[in-house]
Structures are given as structure tokens and as C-alpha cells.
Amino acid sequence: MLKHLIFCIKLAIVFAAIVFFGKAVQYLIFNGGFSGEFFDYVFFRKT
């Protein structure tokens, strides 16, 4: 039971990381380059 729970948590973390990375890449494609705005988006400090 515990092993199954740990596996599910790991899977959720990996899935969240993939989604997060995809959002970051999409933002870079639409806005171009790394900038202060990119980091604001990454850390959810939308203005």
C-alpha cells in the first residue's frame, strides 16, 4: 500500500514537472528569449 502511494506521488511530481516545463517552453516560443518577464511567469508573479 505504501509503495503504491509513493509511486503515485512520484508520478504526480513527474507529470507536474512536464506540464510546468511545457508551459515555460510555450511562453518562451511566444515571447522569445529569457527575460525578467519569463521569470515572473515561472514564479507566477503576473503583473
Side-chain angles (χ1 to χ4, degrees):
M1 181 65 191
L2 188 63
K3 282 184 179 179
H4 182 72
L5 190 67
I6 290 167
F7 176 75
C8 287
I9 291 167
K10 283 183 182 177
L11 204 65
I13 290 168
V14 169
F15 182 73
I18 291 167
V19 170
F20 181 77
F21 183 73
K23 277 180 143 189
V25 168
Q26 186 180 37
Y27 184 85
L28 279 179
I29 289 166
F30 285 116
N31 292 276
F34 285 91
S35 66
E37 284 180 39
F38 172 74
F39 290 106
D40 284 347
Y41 181 81
V42 167
F43 297 111
F44 304 107
R45 295 184 309 212
K46 292 194 180 90
T47 52

